[in-house]
Each structure stands twice: as structure tokens, then as C-alpha cells.
Amino acid sequence: MDDSEKDIVMDGEDRPMADGSSAANGFLDPTTTGEGSLEETANGQSANGAAQDEEQDSDPTAYPERLRRRGLLPTGCCYDDRMKLHANADFGPNPHHPEDPSRIEYIMKTLKRHGLVFTGSDADLIRIIQSEPTKYMWRIPAREATREEICIVHHPEHFSWVEALSQMSTQELRELSTRMDQGRDSLYVGSMTYEASLISAGGAIETCKSVVVGNVKNAFAVIRPPGHHAEYKAAMGFCLFNNVPIAAKICQADYPDLCRKILILDWDVHHGNGIQNMFYDDPNILYISLHVYRNGEFYPGKPDSPFIPDGGIEHCGAGPGLGKNVNIGWHDQGMGDGEYMAAFQKIVMPIAHEFNPDLVIISAGFDAAAGDELGGCFVTPVCYAHMTHMLMSLAGGKVAVCLEGGYDLEAISKSALAVAQTLMGEPPPKMEIPRINREAAKVLAKVQAYQAPYWECMRPGIVDVQEMQAQESSRLHDVVRRAQRQVLSEKHGMLPLYIQRPTLFKSFENQVLVTRGIQNARKIVLIVHDPPELHAQPDPLDNSIEPHNAWVTDGVTRYIDWAVGKGFGVIDVNVPHYITHPEDLDAFTPRADERTLQAQVQELMCYLWDNYLQLYESAADIFLMGVGNAYLGIKVLLINRLDVKTRVSGVVNFVNGSLRPVKSDADAELSSWYKEHSQVYVANDHACWSDPDLTRKVMKRRFGNVIRAQVNGLTPMMAEHFADVQQFFLERLGLGEGEEEVLMAEHGGGGGGAGNTTEDELRMR
């Protein structure tokens, strides 16, 4: 017989079992004793204590009573070879299926190979039980769940449907598997599916009950088929019966004093739609799921009914269960240790501690593990160990792990081993936590905002937008721009330029400022830039921000001051990262994506050129300056208006993000012109400098005359290279050193040129 086919009583099913109220391996089973309280039984102090002592003495495989303290209890393990009998009945050309029977076999082989499961002789077993019983995992026998137990969360018709599988012919099972193993159903069945499903559910029940009553300190149920996709009235996603909800409800029903509140933590890469829907309005079950969501496209996808919630982060529960459903739905695959550890530190553990559960059940799918092609993520065994260790700080350490998905045999075995070793008390290995993906950080911020109304720990730093609107508050970026307008108006008489386009006017009101008399200026500089940078030091206790601990830095101001002082007309274009919409209620709103930004900026820049700049016949020299992400405006203007290069004397850009090429199919000379007429300062720490191939690429003409800045950050870059830009402007104007006064003479002292254009006149143009 293969070693993996033995059941485990620290090793094999052939070990003698104790009879009566003593469970396998000598554990006293409080669920079957009729005398004394659970607490008395757990401490070996029942009314017939002497009889118990005699029984313990006569059974060398019973757990030693002198060691029955929680810290000295072993880790349990539930496994039964019969669960491998669930196999695909459709023996087509590709009979292999991701949910393979060998999944649980590989896990058990790995646990044995690493010494977590006893494989020695009977004599050694008795000695170990008496002297060091926590050295190995302790057997929790699996059994078939009853119809009544399964129907505690499933409709009786669903139970009957699964039961009927055992009566079908092979041909019927094959046809059913072929039909259902696609789309959202994603299910196969076989002649022993019903029996294996009963044992899988029964194993979950016995595992959780053993942890609740204190037979073991924690436990791992190596079970299949998995369960978290199974709905109240339907099987789907490789799942027949929903094992974890069944076990959770039975523990609540059988041990109301010991197990009232349960945390179910689901780290399977797929959202556990079945668990969510079964407990969506339950105040005593906290369901937290970390999964790939990908805007609802990743399995299990969106339900057929729009009234059924999916795995979106906005779904937080209903009725008395509001806040008891936490979806951490990643924007895409590719997440790893950094993202999962951040999710635990920022969301999972704070909420879990505030909930304060009596029992933790991990729906432990390992398809987010590195190496699992179906999941496409990169969580390492070390990370699984750390997540398990954090969860062991809850509920007095009462943690029950129930296997869900995971389809790469090596990845699932290594991950399960790491979890089991941690449950048994081994410290998690040291790990280097990678930097978190930027989009994933935004997901976590949004989850925090959605959960803030229900959890005190989620509220620091989260703004109630509806309350802010009711108090007639303004977004800070609008306040900052109004302040800029006031300063530039007082210093240089600058006015807001009216944008006669319906959508653009709403987006760029007060965002385009011009000096008076600009239509008569002989030299003009157009500056398109990101908003000023904000810096703040939050209070370490409540995360609040005081105005005196916050700063606004604007590197553009010194350039405007210099240009106006030298007689330039100035057009200052501020491109906000977000356009204010009164109906928006999100506390955290990400920046506009590249496509949205380009569409807005392109329309604006072309509008400014067509209606103003190209009509200013007196302007002999026009300079363009781009700062930050907004320098995209320079690119789209050059590409979409081919006459620009005949009027523009020079281009200056400051870049700390994406480097954008300037190339046109309609004008083959545009890239060469851009290279000769530009200064493109790129941050010193930009990724393009870290790779020689990238460095060579950005030195090509379509990226302009790229210069590595001496510093990092937009404001420091603009300050560091201020003199260089002045010199560049003067050279393009044909002026040498000491000849700047010519600029002033041409304009009679500057201020942006002759004339006193009013705001009303600008609106009429």
C-alpha cells in the first residue's frame, strides 16, 4: 500500500481506537459525554473523575491529562483517502482536470516527508503520546455529514440533486460533466462525487468542532471537493457542498456559549461567492475575502441576477450584517507577498481584532500561490505562514484551516506545509516584503473607505464626503488653484481665460490664466503643469492633519515671475489630477487614467492654439513648457497641430513619470525638430537610467533632447535647473549673456506686453 493511502492516527488507520466517550488518539470528546460541563470535562474534573483516571491509565493512546492546557495541545489534521474518489466521469481526450484527486494526496505526502505526521512503530507512538504529544499532528477522524447538517445552509433540493449523482449511469455522468464543466458552472461529477462530498463536509465539521471544544489547539482539514463557490441551491466552481459555512453554523448551534462570533478568512484567489451570499446579512459571521476581481471579469464573475452581490469591494453586507462582508478584490492578477501582507496589516487584522471572534476558519485556497497558472499570482509559502501566524493571534488561537482551491501540486503542497508548520508552533521564516503595487494600494484605500462606516479602526484618515458636501466644503485642489489665481492676479494682473467648450469649461474653470495684453506680446511662454505638490505630517494618534503641518510647493511660480519680468506674455495651464464633480461620494478618488487625461488635455491644448496662440500675429517667439504628467499636453499639441513647430522657438519639459515620444506619420521631420528644439529634464531616479537599453532608447530623437536631472521630484528639479532653462530661452531668442535687457526694451518694461485687456475682452475672443 502506498504511504499516502494510510489514514493518520499520528500515522495509520490500523491503530487501535478508544471506545466510548474517548475519541481517536485518546482525546476525551465533550460532545458525547453526558456528565459534567464542557469546562469540567476539558480539565478532567468530571463527577466520575476516578473512573476517568482509570480509563486514561488503561488507554496508552489517550492524551495525557496532565498536559491538557491549551498551550500544550497538539495541532489536528483531518484527512480521508475516500475523498479522492470524486473524479471526472468524462474520460475524453483530456481527462485531467485542475481539481485533481491527487491534490490532497500530495499535501499529505509533503506533511509526512517533513515529519509533521508520525510514521513510526506502535511502541514509539505510545511513548511519544505520553512524553511529547505535540510533536506530531493529531488525527481528527473524518466522517460523512448528515442531510440535516448540510441543509443547515443548503436547500433540501440541492442535497437531493447531489445525492442523485450516485444513482446515475456513467454515460449520464459524462454528459452532465461535459455540459457543466464550462462557463460559470465549471463543475464535473462522478459516481462517487456524492460520498466524497459528504466526507469533505463532515471533515470540515469535525475539524472545527475539535478546535472549538479544545480537543486540539488548531487544525488543518485536508479535504476535497472544495466548497466556497457552492450556493444555497446550486453547485459551481468545482464545489458541491459549501464545507466552511456548514461547519460554522453547526459550531454556532452546538456550542452557543463557546462559539458565537466566527471570522471566515478566504484567501483563495477566487471570490467565495457562496460563503458571501449565505452570510450576507448575518451579524455574527465576518467574511473577509482576498481575491482577484478584475472589474468582475475574473471567475466567478458577475451573477446572472443583478440583485445578487459579486466580489466587488463596495459590497459590505446587508441589514444587520452591514460591515460583516469585506471584499478585498484586486484589480488584476499578479499580486504577491507585498499586496497580501499590506492587506492583512491595513484591513484584515484591524477589522478582525475589532470583531473579536470566538473562532477563525480559513478558507484556504492556495491558487494565489506562486506557480499556480490558474491564479496567476505570486504569494510565497513564507507569506502564507505569516498570514496564518497573524490569524493565530485571534480567538485565543482557535484556528481551523479548511482546504479550498489550489491546482499546482508543488505550489499547493509547499504552501500547505508552511501553514501546518506555523499552526504547530514554528515561527514563520524571515521575509523581505516587496513594495506594493500602486493600483493595489488604491484598492486597499478604497476598501478602507467603504468599510469606514462600520469599523472604528477603518475611520482614521477617511473623509465622509456627504458630510463634507453638506457643510459646503471644497476640495483642496480647488482651494489651492483659487489661491494661485489670487496671487498671480495681484502680482502680474493675470486673468482666467474663458474656455468656450461645454465640457472643457466645467473641467478647466480657473485652470487657464493669462497675462493682460497677451495678444500684443511678442514673446509668449505657455506652461502646462501638474497642480502644486502637497506635503503634510499627520498626527500620529488620530491621523488628522493640522494646517500648520501642511505645505504647498509650486515650482512653476518662479518661472512665471521671471517670464513676466522679462516681458513675456504668459499662459499658465493647471491640469488637475481630478475634475470636481458634486455627485462624487468616494473618499478616495484615483488620478485620471492616461486615456482620460489625454482626451481632456488634447482638446484643451488644440483649443488654446486654434483660438488664441496661432492668431497672435505679433508673437514672434512662442515657448512651450511641460511639467509632470501634464507635459502630455506638449506632445499632443505638437502631433495634432503641424503648424506649431513653425511658430515655436523652444520646448522645455520636466519629467518624473512616463517619457512620451513625439512622432507623427504626417510629418516625418517632427521628431528631428523636437530633438533640436527641446530640453527634457528627467528625474535622477527615473527607471530609464537603471537599464542601459532603456537609456539608449530614450536618447533617440523622438523623446527630445533628454537630460538627466541632478535631483529627484518636480519642484527640486525645476529649482535646480532654473538657470539652465533661462539660458536656453535666451539662446533661442538669439541673446547672449548680459543682453536680457533687450527683452525689457522691446516691451517697455514688461508686464506681459502692451494694452490692458480685461476679463470681459478675453471672454469675447
Side-chain angles (χ1 to χ4, degrees):
M1 178 181 292
D2 188 277
D3 190 44
S4 66
E5 294 178 357
K6 300 177 183 177
D7 202 354
I8 52 170
V9 183
M10 285 203 171
D11 176 31
E13 195 172 33
D14 54 334
R15 307 293 183 190
M17 297 295 108
D19 296 321
S21 63
S22 224
N25 283 344
F27 271 116
L28 198 64
D29 186 357
T31 65
T32 59
T33 57
E35 304 170 48
S37 67
L38 287 170
E39 290 80 2
E40 290 173 336
T41 303
N43 291 295
Q45 300 296 322
S46 63
N48 60 343
Q52 276 193 11
D53 290 338
E54 291 180 10
E55 185 178 345
Q56 294 289 324
D57 292 339
S58 63
D59 184 2
T61 63
Y63 192 84
E65 282 299 317
R66 69 183 186 281
L67 300 178
R68 289 188 64 83
R69 300 204 320 265
R70 180 140 199 90
L72 298 178
L73 290 176
T75 292
C77 181
C78 183
Y79 174 81
D80 194 307
D81 266 341
R82 291 174 294 172
M83 289 182 286
K84 290 161 56 179
L85 296 174
H86 167 57
N88 192 354
D90 179 25
F91 299 106
N94 298 302
H96 178 72
H97 193 280
E99 208 290 281
D100 190 275
S102 59
R103 294 168 62 242
I104 57 174
E105 177 185 336
Y106 266 69
I107 291 175
M108 286 309 303
K109 281 184 175 180
T110 301
L111 298 183
K112 287 186 177 184
R113 189 166 60 249
H114 286 81
L116 276 63
V117 175
F118 181 76
T119 57
S121 67
D122 289 347
D124 287 341
L125 173 62
I126 294 172
R127 177 185 58 78
I128 288 171
I129 288 175
Q130 295 300 315
S131 61
E132 44 184 347
T134 61
K135 185 176 181 179
Y136 299 100
M137 301 181 83
W138 202 266
R139 177 178 182 263
I140 299 173
R143 64 167 175 85
E144 293 186 356
T146 66
R147 179 187 182 96
E148 291 71 22
E149 288 173 329
I150 288 175
C151 289
I152 200 168
V153 300
H154 285 291
H155 194 283
E157 290 181 1
H158 175 61
F159 180 90
S160 298
W161 183 85
V162 180
E163 183 181 33
L165 296 175
S166 61
Q167 305 300 319
M168 288 186 179
S169 67
T170 301
Q171 184 61 34
E172 290 174 320
L173 291 169
R174 288 182 178 180
E175 291 175 356
L176 183 60
S177 293
T178 302
R179 185 169 71 252
M180 296 192 70
D181 195 17
Q182 55 187 321
R184 199 162 188 264
D185 284 341
S186 192
L187 185 75
Y188 73 79
V189 294
S191 59
M192 298 298 290
T193 292
Y194 170 62
E195 289 77 3
S197 299
L198 291 179
I199 296 171
S200 185
I205 294 170
E206 290 304 307
T207 299
C208 293
K209 288 173 68 173
S210 295
V211 173
V212 168
V213 300
N215 284 347
V216 291
K217 64 179 179 181
N218 51 45
F220 196 148
V222 185
I223 54 177
R224 68 172 290 273
H228 72 148
H229 292 309
E231 295 279 9
Y232 172 59
K233 295 181 68 173
M236 63 174 284
F238 311 161
C239 304
L240 282 299
F241 297 136
N242 211 325
N243 304 318
V244 167
I246 293 170
K249 293 297 287 184
I250 288 174
C251 286
Q252 286 180 323
D254 289 357
Y255 312 112
D257 295 332
L258 294 176
C259 188
R260 185 173 67 89
K261 298 191 298 179
I262 298 176
L263 163 63
I264 300 174
L265 189 284
D266 187 344
W267 65 39
D268 190 284
V269 79
H270 304 98
H271 178 243
N273 54 289
I275 302 179
Q276 171 177 282
N277 295 335
M278 287 173 179
F279 297 130
Y280 203 61
D281 59 355
D282 192 324
N284 292 317
I285 300 285
L286 170 60
Y287 178 62
I288 303 179
S289 176
L290 297 95
H291 56 273
V292 174
Y293 181 61
R294 206 163 64 194
N295 200 31
E297 297 175 356
F298 198 73
Y299 190 85
K302 295 184 179 296
D304 296 332
S305 170
F307 301 104
I308 299 176
D310 65 357
I313 62 177
E314 70 275 14
H315 298 302
C316 304
L322 267 174
K324 301 305 190 297
N325 195 85
V326 182
N327 283 328
I328 304 174
W330 302 122
H331 64 289
D332 205 349
Q333 294 169 278
M335 302 300 102
D337 292 359
E339 290 73 33
Y340 276 74
M341 290 298 289
F344 261 68
Q345 293 167 354
K346 296 176 181 294
I347 307 294
V348 175
M349 295 311 297
I351 290 179
H353 277 291
E354 187 172 333
F355 179 66
N356 193 22
D358 302 311
L359 172 67
V360 175
I361 307 177
I362 304 177
S363 276
F366 294 110
D367 39 8
D372 193 301
E373 295 183 2
L374 200 63
C377 289
F378 303 98
V379 181
T380 65
V382 174
C383 185
Y384 281 117
H386 278 271
M387 292 191 293
T388 303
H389 192 256
M390 284 188 273
L391 292 170
M392 289 167 63
S393 68
L394 304 165
K398 292 186 176 183
V399 177
V401 180
C402 295
L403 184 66
E404 295 285 0
Y407 309 104
D408 181 90
L409 297 179
E410 183 176 358
I412 192 175
S413 300
K414 290 181 177 179
S415 302
L417 173 65
V419 169
Q421 288 173 327
T422 305
L423 291 174
M424 294 183 72
E426 292 189 26
K430 180 181 178 181
M431 74 179 298
E432 298 291 335
I433 303 178
R435 290 183 62 181
I436 184 173
N437 177 282
R438 179 175 294 183
E439 292 302 314
K442 294 177 182 178
V443 168
L444 296 181
K446 284 190 172 183
V447 172
Q448 183 183 356
Y450 277 114
Q451 295 296 333
Y454 316 113
W455 301 100
E456 188 70 32
C457 61
M458 293 290 102
R459 288 173 195 155
I462 297 297
V463 176
D464 187 332
V465 178
Q466 287 181 302
E467 182 179 348
M468 294 297 102
Q469 291 178 347
Q471 296 172 2
E472 299 183 354
S473 303
S474 298
R475 289 188 183 259
L476 184 58
H477 77 153
D478 293 326
V479 175
V480 169
R481 187 55 178 174
R482 286 198 294 268
Q484 284 183 307
R485 172 185 172 181
Q486 181 68 23
V487 169
L488 293 175
S489 175
E490 292 175 355
K491 290 175 67 175
H492 306 304
M494 296 182 73
L495 304 169
L497 189 68
Y498 185 76
I499 309 298
Q500 291 181 316
R501 293 287 186 279
T503 56
L504 283 182
F505 170 72
K506 183 178 181 180
S507 300
F508 289 95
E509 184 180 16
N510 288 325
Q511 306 298 342
V512 182
L513 306 178
V514 300
T515 50
R516 296 177 184 272
I518 192 169
Q519 71 275 13
N520 299 317
R522 294 195 60 191
K523 296 169 180 61
I524 294 174
V525 57
L526 167 66
I527 307 176
V528 53
H529 58 86
D530 287 352
E533 297 173 330
L534 305 179
H535 307 273
Q537 183 64 55
D539 185 283
L541 295 179
D542 61 8
N543 214 36
S544 62
I545 296 177
E546 298 288 346
H548 65 274
N549 290 322
W551 292 264
V552 177
T553 56
D554 185 3
V556 175
T557 304
R558 71 176 68 207
Y559 286 83
I560 295 177
D561 293 344
W562 176 82
V564 172
K566 299 302 180 183
F568 281 81
V570 177
I571 301 178
D572 176 72
V573 182
N574 182 77
V575 180
H577 297 311
Y578 163 78
I579 308 304
T580 300
H581 298 294
E583 64 273 15
D584 284 349
L585 300 179
D586 288 346
F588 177 82
T589 303
R591 295 183 178 188
D593 57 73
E594 180 88 3
R595 181 177 297 179
T596 302
L597 178 65
Q598 177 163 327
Q600 290 182 334
V601 173
Q602 179 174 317
E603 186 178 2
L604 174 67
M605 296 297 287
C606 291
Y607 173 85
L608 292 176
W609 182 262
D610 295 341
N611 293 277
Y612 295 97
L613 282 168
Q614 78 161 345
L615 302 180
Y616 295 160
E617 296 180 356
S618 60
D621 294 284
I622 297 175
F623 291 87
L624 305 177
M625 179 181 289
V627 180
N629 288 327
Y631 111 91
L632 176 65
I634 305 299
K635 168 189 172 177
V636 296
L637 178 61
L638 291 173
I639 292 175
N640 288 279
R641 293 296 183 268
L642 298 181
D643 61 330
V644 169
K645 70 178 187 180
T646 63
R647 301 284 306 277
V648 170
S649 301
V651 179
V652 174
N653 292 317
F654 291 94
V655 184
N656 65 344
S658 299
L659 265 167
R660 299 180 173 96
V662 173
K663 183 179 180 181
S664 172
D665 294 334
D667 184 357
E669 301 300 319
L670 179 60
S671 294
S672 298
W673 176 91
Y674 182 52
K675 180 79 170 180
E676 296 170 3
H677 290 76
S678 68
Q679 298 273 63
V680 182
Y681 296 96
V682 180
N684 189 266
D685 62 352
H686 195 280
C688 72
W689 307 121
S690 62
D691 186 329
D693 291 335
L694 285 176
T695 302
R696 285 193 295 270
K697 180 179 179 180
V698 301
M699 290 302 174
K700 295 182 178 180
R701 60 185 183 178
R702 63 178 180 271
F703 290 99
N705 181 29
V706 175
I707 301 170
R708 185 170 186 172
Q710 301 173 26
V711 294
N712 303 316
L714 289 176
T715 300
M717 286 167 61
M718 298 184 77
E720 179 70 23
H721 297 283
F722 180 49
D724 299 334
V725 173
Q726 294 180 54
Q727 184 63 33
F728 175 74
F729 277 31
L730 295 175
E731 290 175 356
R732 290 289 159 178
L733 291 170
L735 300 175
E737 187 175 349
E739 297 182 89
E740 302 106 66
E741 63 271 12
V742 176
L743 291 173
M744 301 295 293
E746 288 180 346
H747 295 279
N756 292 303
T757 308
T758 66
E759 185 171 350
D760 288 339
E761 289 172 333
L762 286 170
R763 287 175 178 270
M764 293 297 292
R765 294 189 63 84

